[in-house]
Amino acid sequence: MTTWKSNIRTVVPYTPGEQPKQKVIKLNTNENPYPPSPLVGKVISSIDLDSLRKYPDPTCDNLIEALAKYHSVDKSKVFVGVGSDDVLAMSFITFFNSKLPILFPDITYSFYDVWADLFRIPYEQKLLDDDFKINIDDYSKPCGGIIIPNPNAPTGVAEPVEFFEKIVAAHPECVVIIDEAYVDFGSNSCIGLTDKYDNVIIVRTYSKSRSMAGNRIGYAIGNPELIKYLSDCKFSFNSYTMDTITLAVGVASLEDDEYFKARIADVIKTREWTKGKLAELGFSFPDSKSNFIFAKHESKDATYIFEELKKKGIYVRHFSKPERIANYLRISIGTDEEMQQLIEALRDIL
Ligand SMILES: *Cc1c(COP(=O)(O)O)cnc(C)c1O
């Protein structure tokens, strides 16, 4: 019997980390433990209510101009969206239209295979080695596109710009997306490659380093032709993706670079302290250049530690797939006090 069910698009959705209602120590979604710049607060408290009557600027001019200035690129190289998830989804639709599979690591941001399935893009996942490093030879054959986060998530492992330049230079037949969600926490950006190559696009977010996950701001930097195609797809979907308030606070955050750099330095310092303490407790982990640590304990199960921490009101992230990371926990870097409490809790549990 034919039913409407045969005409439905069915997918297995991405599962975001839990957002508990009660007050907990929340180290499970890589949010920044510090609030955004006070300038952001000022802008929000001075919003003119009457301005909300009108649709927001569909071209997002002010924010795009501020981002272009911040990164010293022409504004024709900048695209903005509702968090980098929106920018990435739009990029998949725009750039990945080959019959050949797109390539990305087996251990990486778990949204990539969800978008590929949703948009019916063929893909191949390339195995990271035992140290969670990318084998560049896996990315040498012609393909429909490549997406890699740098640093990678959830491992925190970063590769140098030259590594990505080799990949980009080897693939004139497709677009390479570099997802720099965590680049501000101590690795080098590939934005410079967009001057030299027309097939690379860099995706960034305000959610982690800029402490503004609640606002949903993401952006891409690439050559003007790629940005034009990306905008065409966006305007074929929803003209008004960014709201008036968000556009304004996005600019304000960029205007307070001193505050931004100081909070990043705080997170990095706490991360390095946490690494030392975790190692003392019998954890091993790849060297993270992000605002989280991906750690495995020498004797205790990740599921056990996850559950025990939760009982104590400390939330971390546990991925059960793929199988070879099932014994790891991804621990976001909180404030010094939060990390001290984490270490104390772990001492009790282990
Ligand atoms: C958090 C994250 C994103 C999504 O960020 P939003 O801007 O909040 O949508 C994208 N890519 C990676 C690798 C991330 O960890």
Side-chain angles (χ1 to χ4, degrees):
M1 206 172 64
T2 54
T3 79
W4 50 267
K5 284 196 180 161
S6 60
N7 294 322
I8 297 295
R9 188 178 292 251
T10 56
V11 287
V12 182
Y14 172 77
T15 319
E18 223 176 312
Q19 295 291 356
K21 297 281 183 292
Q22 71 279 27
K23 195 159 168 43
V24 299
I25 295 184
K26 200 171 168 305
L27 308 174
N28 69 334
T29 53
N30 298 343
E31 287 141 339
N32 200 306
Y34 304 106
S37 156
L39 264 189
V40 168
K42 261 196 200 156
V43 167
I44 292 177
S45 55
S46 63
I47 289 288
D48 170 14
L49 264 192
D50 191 58
S51 72
L52 296 184
R53 246 181 348 94
K54 292 185 283 180
Y55 280 105
D57 171 17
T59 59
C60 306
D61 255 350
N62 291 345
L63 180 57
I64 284 181
E65 223 169 280
L67 282 165
K69 188 165 152 234
Y70 188 82
H71 289 293
S72 308
V73 299
D74 192 82
K75 62 184 207 174
S76 59
K77 290 181 74 174
V78 183
F79 174 87
V80 295
V82 187
S84 57
D85 284 343
D86 177 45
V87 176
L88 287 165
M90 225 20 91
S91 299
F92 270 55
I93 292 181
T94 311
F95 304 128
F96 295 161
N97 293 285
S98 169
K99 297 248 179 318
L100 293 176
I102 63 165
L103 311 178
F104 51 87
D106 66 326
I107 300 167
T108 195
Y109 188 35
S110 48
F111 224 136
Y112 299 157
D113 57 339
V114 173
W115 286 315
D117 285 332
L118 176 63
F119 304 136
R120 297 170 184 164
I121 300 164
Y123 62 95
E124 272 176 29
Q125 291 175 278
K126 298 298 181 184
L127 296 188
L128 296 183
D129 71 14
D130 291 340
D131 297 324
F132 296 136
K133 300 282 280 180
I134 296 165
N135 178 0
I136 198 162
D137 296 334
D138 288 340
Y139 296 83
S140 60
K141 63 172 189 190
C143 60
I146 292 172
I147 176 153
I148 300 175
N150 193 47
N152 195 7
T155 63
V157 176
E159 296 291 347
V161 174
E162 305 81 68
F163 175 94
F164 287 96
E165 177 156 17
K166 274 188 203 142
I167 293 180
V168 171
H171 287 282
E173 84 288 3
C174 70
V175 173
V176 177
I177 303 175
I178 304 168
D179 181 350
E180 292 190 340
Y182 301 101
V183 77
D184 292 319
F185 298 105
S187 59
N188 290 320
S189 174
C190 288
I191 287 177
L193 294 182
T194 64
D195 289 333
K196 204 165 154 194
Y197 300 93
D198 62 3
N199 63 324
V200 60
I201 190 143
I202 313 298
V203 177
R204 293 281 195 102
T205 174
Y206 276 50
S207 298
K208 280 67 182 236
S209 58
R210 292 196 174 274
S211 307
M212 290 164 75
N215 280 112
R216 314 304 301 126
I217 306 176
Y219 58 101
I221 296 181
N223 98 82
E225 205 182 345
L226 287 186
I227 297 299
K228 185 207 170 286
Y229 290 127
L230 197 50
S231 286
D232 288 348
C233 280
K234 172 225 146 133
F235 280 104
S236 308
F237 200 79
N238 179 357
S239 312
Y240 305 109
T241 49
M242 315 275 299
D243 68 79
T244 303
I245 300 172
T246 299
L247 288 170
V249 295
V251 174
S253 169
L254 298 171
E255 283 168 354
D256 196 354
D257 209 36
E258 198 178 320
Y259 178 92
F260 171 69
K261 297 225 163 87
R263 295 296 80 70
I264 298 267
D266 291 341
V267 171
I268 291 175
K269 193 159 158 245
T270 309
R271 176 186 74 202
E272 296 308 310
W273 179 87
T274 308
K275 283 179 185 171
K277 293 292 168 192
L278 287 177
E280 279 171 32
L281 287 170
F283 284 94
S284 57
F285 40 84
D287 188 32
S288 171
K289 293 280 183 240
S290 57
N291 68 337
F292 55 82
I293 297 170
F294 195 52
K296 177 175 114 172
H297 193 258
E298 60 193 6
S299 57
K300 293 284 196 299
D301 244 32
T303 317
Y304 168 77
I305 302 171
F306 174 85
E307 293 300 339
E308 291 301 309
L309 282 175
K310 200 165 176 178
K311 281 184 205 160
K312 292 176 179 288
I314 301 178
Y315 281 51
V316 298
R317 193 88 192 260
H318 179 238
F319 299 97
S320 48
K321 279 190 306 187
E323 180 68 36
R324 67 187 179 123
I325 61 165
N327 218 11
Y328 281 80
L329 295 171
R330 192 194 67 189
I331 304 167
S332 309
I333 303 301
T335 59
D336 283 340
E337 297 71 44
E338 287 174 327
M339 299 322 271
Q340 277 155 11
Q341 289 182 51
L342 167 80
I343 297 299
E344 271 163 39
L346 286 171
R347 279 201 191 108
D348 277 358
I349 293 166
L350 299 169

